[in-house]
Amino acid sequence: MAAASGVSPQSEYIQHHLVHFNNIGEKQTAIANFGVINYDSLFWSILMGLVVVFFLWRAARRATTGVPGRFQMFVESLVDMVEEQAKSIVPNEVSRRFVSPLALTVFLWIVMMNALDLIPVDLLATVLRWTGWGAHHGDLLYYHRILPTADLNVPMGMSLGVLLLMFYYGLKIKHPGGFFKDLVSAPFHAHGFAAVLLFPFNLLLNIIEYAAKSVSLGMRLFGNMFAGELIFMLIALLGGAWTGLNGSSIGLGIGQLLAGSIWAIFHILIVLLQGFIFMMLTLVYIGQAHEGH
């Protein structure tokens, strides 16, 4: 069948792991289609968000003024780390009352979503088949991706939220007049008739700057996690080449274990680093919204 269709089994394996469980029942073909809802991305991202909220709620509930336990010390170290970063970037103390908890939540949320990539590619489908539940829900097995941050909708949705916060704090700190003055008077500062001539260029450049910040913020997270997901799939193909107890199959199986273990260990750094980068850029962009040109 693969030969007749011109698609190799390896390509078909990777392609079906890149299909979402959505409301159209097939792979999305258009780059932007606002009528498509990826239920798997919504489920796993919301679930990880609830896990983070429960984690922070549990830490606050168990906090004590006495000798702290390991769990409390771990959470307090995270809070202190984020607060120190926020103090050095966001100058307004009132704004930090919201921005610091936001940055901590964003960091933990992205880390939890990224960590789902460490789950073996075919583990969920295998478990569902063992339980017999998957026999009646084939679409959920075939059309399902567990990694929300490898779905462009999720990182871009989060970056859009950061963009809205940039507008909010720009208007709040500078007031509408000062905010719109910055849009049309920078980066090319001028006076009199020259300022009128440069008005459209300044406005265009600032619009491009806001768009570039938002797009790059989401695309950076998406690109790194999508690439990591593909590498895990390629490593899984080594084990999928098993043909029996022979030298090549055993060698490929051992290669899969070694490559998978090494990449998983390295990927832990990527999981944490991408969460930290998104958090820091969120702080930087909101901090810039407090400043005038």
Side-chain angles (χ1 to χ4, degrees):
M1 182 180 294
S5 61
V7 179
S8 66
Q10 294 80 10
S11 298
E12 185 179 1
Y13 174 83
I14 292 177
Q15 287 177 12
H16 96 259
H17 277 82
L18 296 178
V19 179
H20 287 281
F21 179 54
N22 53 43
N23 60 320
I24 62 175
E26 59 185 18
K27 186 176 181 179
Q28 179 178 329
T29 55
I31 296 177
N33 187 343
F34 298 101
V36 177
I37 302 174
N38 294 331
Y39 297 122
D40 44 9
S41 297
L42 283 174
F43 173 79
W44 290 107
S45 59
I46 293 173
L47 178 62
M48 292 302 101
L50 292 175
V51 169
V52 169
V53 171
F54 175 77
F55 172 81
L56 296 175
W57 172 81
R58 186 71 174 171
R61 186 76 179 270
R62 297 178 59 180
T64 175
T65 56
V67 179
R70 286 176 293 182
F71 178 64
Q72 182 177 340
M73 291 179 61
F74 173 70
V75 175
E76 288 180 351
S77 64
L78 283 177
V79 173
D80 290 339
M81 181 269 291
V82 175
E83 184 64 28
E84 287 301 316
Q85 298 295 337
K87 284 181 180 179
S88 63
I89 297 174
V90 181
N92 191 294
E93 183 178 355
V94 177
S95 298
R96 287 202 305 271
R97 295 176 186 174
F98 172 78
V99 175
S100 295
L102 170 70
L104 177 63
T105 304
V106 165
F107 172 68
L108 293 176
W109 190 21
I110 292 178
V111 167
M112 290 299 297
M113 288 192 291
N114 289 351
L116 292 172
D117 202 19
L118 299 173
I119 298 176
V121 175
D122 296 305
L123 179 61
L124 179 61
T126 302
V127 171
L128 291 177
R129 288 192 184 97
W130 283 349
T131 60
W133 190 83
H136 306 288
H137 299 80
D139 285 348
L140 184 57
L141 289 175
Y142 190 87
Y143 302 108
H144 192 99
R145 292 178 69 183
I146 196 173
L147 183 60
T149 45
D151 178 5
L152 185 58
N153 297 282
V154 174
M156 289 306 297
M158 298 180 71
S159 65
L160 179 60
V162 175
L163 178 64
L164 294 177
L165 285 173
M166 292 167 60
F167 290 149
Y168 170 76
Y169 280 106
L171 291 168
K172 179 181 178 181
I173 300 300
K174 305 171 189 176
H175 305 294
F179 177 76
F180 288 107
K181 181 181 178 181
D182 272 354
L183 285 179
V184 300
S185 63
F188 301 115
H189 297 280
H191 301 282
F193 183 70
V196 177
L197 290 177
L198 292 174
F199 174 97
F201 299 101
N202 285 333
L203 180 61
L204 178 61
L205 287 175
N206 279 292
I207 292 175
I208 293 174
E209 180 185 358
Y210 276 113
K213 286 179 179 179
S214 181
V215 172
S216 63
L217 183 62
M219 289 295 293
R220 182 182 293 105
L221 176 60
F222 162 74
N224 280 277
M225 299 313 300
F226 184 79
E229 185 184 35
L230 283 179
I231 292 177
F232 274 122
M233 292 178 190
L234 293 173
I235 293 174
L237 286 174
L238 294 175
W242 179 272
T243 59
L245 292 174
N246 52 66
S248 60
S249 293
I250 293 175
L252 289 173
I254 294 174
Q256 181 194 20
L257 291 175
L258 291 176
S261 300
I262 293 172
W263 178 245
I265 293 172
F266 178 73
H267 200 62
I268 293 174
L269 298 177
I270 298 177
V271 165
L272 296 172
L273 183 61
Q274 290 304 312
F276 182 77
I277 291 174
F278 199 101
M279 178 199 75
M280 289 299 297
L281 288 176
T282 299
L283 290 173
V284 168
Y285 292 160
I286 293 178
Q288 289 176 346
H290 287 69
E291 304 170 356
H293 290 287

